Amino acid sequence: MTSQPTLPARRLLLRNARVAPMTTGGTETQLAQIATEGDTITAVGPDVQLEGAETFDCQGRLVTPGLIDCHTHLVYGGDRAREFELRLEGASYEEIAKAGGGILSTVSHTRAASEDALYAQALPRLQAFLAEGVTTLEIKSGYGLDIETELKMLRVARRLGRDHPVTITTTFLGAHALPPEYKDRADDYIDLVAGPMMQAVADEGLADAVDVFCEGIGFTPDQTRRVFAAAKAHNLPVKIHAEQLSNLSGAHLAAAEFQALSADHLEHLDEAGVKAMKAAGTVAVLLPGAFYFLRDTQLPPLDLLRQHDVPMAVATDCNPGSSPMNSLVLAINMACTLFRLTPSEALLGVTRHAAQALGLADRGQIAPGQRADLAVWDLEDPAQLGYRFGINPLWKRIWNGNL
Ligand code: NIG
Ligand code: FE
């Protein structure tokens, strides 16, 4: 997230913008003008004017904050279409992983690819997100599992952010899977991740957060704890892949002991975990694409999350194995159809709550002082955003105050 291209400051007045209220309450919209100066929204309201500004008539179109995808694995080599076939023939995601496929198959492709090749493969994926109004996107490492390749992935992610009108945040996920050279030596691998690997990542300033895949086919709660303790020593906030396939109480650990920014997946989350997340302000990141693509049947505990008022974000989990999805608009649709989120909950999930899941307070809302990252849709009602799929409803996209 560090180096953004510096574009000239500019004053923009969006007229006749239909602005959603951005609460969980409802989808009633208001017509307003939105003034932006440089990279910041300076005023929102029915009578706002801005001297000498470039004026832009939205003609009553829906305007939302620029969308935020807070959980992706966008940079990777190769694909896993053959495993998709195997799963259709009856193999499970876990069986494929245990047989040395899954994440490890992407690791070998990612290790073999040059930095330029990884960049070139990631580019059309990133462009698909930008075309649908995404203005901030998180990218995780985790398909390198050695120092050199983890750094390579994170450098590619940073470079994508420097070259394009989008904010890229990066997350170090060295503890994603056990690399083959550490077979039966998981604790030794964790020594590497929490020690020299994280040190190298921190030295180059390549990560904004640290993540662990806490799972039977990933790492144990104790191993997770060691990685998080190292993250804390480097002043890096943590996130966790937890309770996707089983309940190891990873979300509880991440929230209660490390004030995690977010816990993600959460199909098997229990009430103790929900309460710990509420107490720590940890966001629940829902990943309906992985639920859909793995044909999962265990729903995340949505009613408990609502009851305890835990903020819910929605993300694509864009990755080659469990969610080869490159559309956050489709994730909104899936969050509504599969998880029964209301359209306004889903909209909050890809804006305000997604920003919170990344620890970013300066975006995700249309309000003075927020970043001038906006999406103008060829729609009138927020419910339409999650309703129709297979057509891109974006009309204009504004990042950093620039159309
Ligand atoms: O978020 N759960 C672990 N990691 C990814 C899947 C990665 C893969 O299968 O390549 C996920 O679903
Ligand atoms: Fe993931």
Side-chain angles (χ1 to χ4, degrees):
M1 210 185 60
T2 40
S3 35
Q4 303 282 352
T6 8
L7 299 166
R10 119 182 235 197
R11 292 143 74 84
L12 208 59
L13 183 69
L14 301 195
R15 292 181 51 246
N16 301 311
R18 197 174 294 279
V19 180
M22 306 295 297
T23 63
T24 42
T27 54
E28 233 156 84
T29 53
Q30 279 183 348
L31 275 184
Q33 343 285 21
I34 304 170
T36 74
E37 294 181 57
D39 60 5
T40 308
I41 296 173
T42 49
V44 185
D47 307 312
V48 167
Q49 296 298 335
L50 188 60
E51 283 288 300
E54 185 180 338
T55 299
F56 183 71
D57 193 351
C58 297
Q59 298 156 329
R61 288 184 177 84
L62 176 70
V63 180
T64 66
L67 301 191
I68 300 172
D69 195 336
C70 66
H71 181 143
T72 88
H73 309 250
L74 184 105
V75 172
Y76 58 81
D79 71 58
R80 303 242 288 279
R82 175 62 195 139
E83 284 180 15
F84 175 49
E85 263 186 296
L86 288 174
R87 284 199 295 108
L88 292 173
E89 288 160 13
S92 76
Y93 182 68
E94 277 162 301
E95 282 161 4
I96 292 170
K98 284 182 185 145
I103 293 172
L104 292 185
S105 116
T106 301
V107 169
S108 49
H109 284 102
T110 305
R111 286 181 176 178
S114 69
E115 203 172 304
D116 286 343
L118 278 183
Y119 182 95
Q121 288 176 52
L123 197 53
R125 294 174 208 138
L126 178 64
Q127 281 162 345
F129 282 102
L130 300 197
E132 286 190 350
V134 169
T135 50
T136 298
L137 180 126
E138 183 251 23
I139 301 179
K140 299 176 196 295
S141 69
Y143 293 119
L145 313 183
D146 60 30
I147 294 180
E148 186 195 339
T149 318
E150 287 292 304
L151 294 179
K152 179 172 73 180
M153 289 185 71
L154 292 167
R155 286 189 198 120
V156 169
R158 286 279 195 236
R159 197 175 132 201
L160 287 166
R162 278 196 301 274
D163 294 354
H164 297 90
V166 61
T167 304
I168 299 288
T169 76
T170 55
T171 301
F172 169 54
L173 177 58
H176 193 197
L178 190 61
E181 61 276 18
Y182 278 86
K183 193 172 186 306
D184 302 321
R185 293 190 298 131
D187 284 315
D188 293 347
Y189 180 63
I190 291 298
D191 287 343
L192 174 71
V193 171
M197 201 185 274
M198 200 181 299
Q199 186 67 53
V201 168
D203 285 348
E204 265 192 64
L206 284 174
D208 302 310
V210 172
D211 195 342
V212 173
F213 184 24
C214 181
E215 188 58 67
I217 56 168
F219 294 92
T220 65
D222 271 336
Q223 291 161 345
T224 303
R225 199 175 268 122
R226 288 173 54 211
V227 176
F228 285 173
K232 202 170 173 185
H234 286 285
N235 271 320
L236 289 168
V238 305
K239 307 168 77 68
I240 188 166
H241 281 70
E243 277 74 90
Q244 179 187 12
L245 310 167
S246 63
N247 183 5
L248 299 184
S249 297
H252 188 283
L253 178 163
E257 297 177 36
F258 297 94
Q259 295 75 50
L261 290 175
S262 73
D264 305 31
H265 285 291
L266 302 176
E267 279 77 358
H268 296 263
L269 178 68
D270 60 22
E271 187 161 16
V274 173
K275 285 182 173 164
M277 289 174 66
K278 174 63 190 172
T282 301
V283 176
V285 178
L286 305 175
L287 304 169
F291 178 93
Y292 161 82
F293 195 64
L294 297 181
R295 307 190 69 221
D296 203 343
T297 51
Q298 172 79 36
L299 283 166
L302 295 150
D303 287 338
L304 279 177
L305 290 166
R306 286 193 183 106
Q307 224 171 291
H308 291 280
D309 200 22
V310 175
M312 296 186 282
V314 172
T316 60
D317 197 13
C318 169
N319 77 68
S322 68
S323 187
M325 168 156 85
N326 296 268
S327 169
L328 192 54
V329 173
L330 183 56
I332 296 172
N333 172 271
M334 287 184 181
C336 296
T337 53
L338 299 174
F339 293 169
R340 316 307 283 168
L341 259 60
T342 66
S344 40
E345 282 175 329
L347 180 55
L348 276 171
V350 295
T351 54
R352 204 168 93 198
H353 293 160
Q356 199 179 330
L358 296 175
L360 300 173
D362 64 350
R363 66 198 71 198
Q365 300 176 64
I366 300 180
Q370 289 270 294
R371 273 180 60 90
D373 292 348
L374 298 161
V376 187
W377 306 93
D378 215 351
L379 305 171
E380 290 176 2
D381 183 327
Q384 291 171 328
L385 202 49
Y387 156 71
R388 191 175 282 126
F389 50 96
I391 193 162
N392 183 358
L394 188 76
W395 195 58
K396 296 273 184 254
R397 177 183 172 285
I398 295 159
W399 177 78
N400 208 31
N402 285 273
L403 268 172

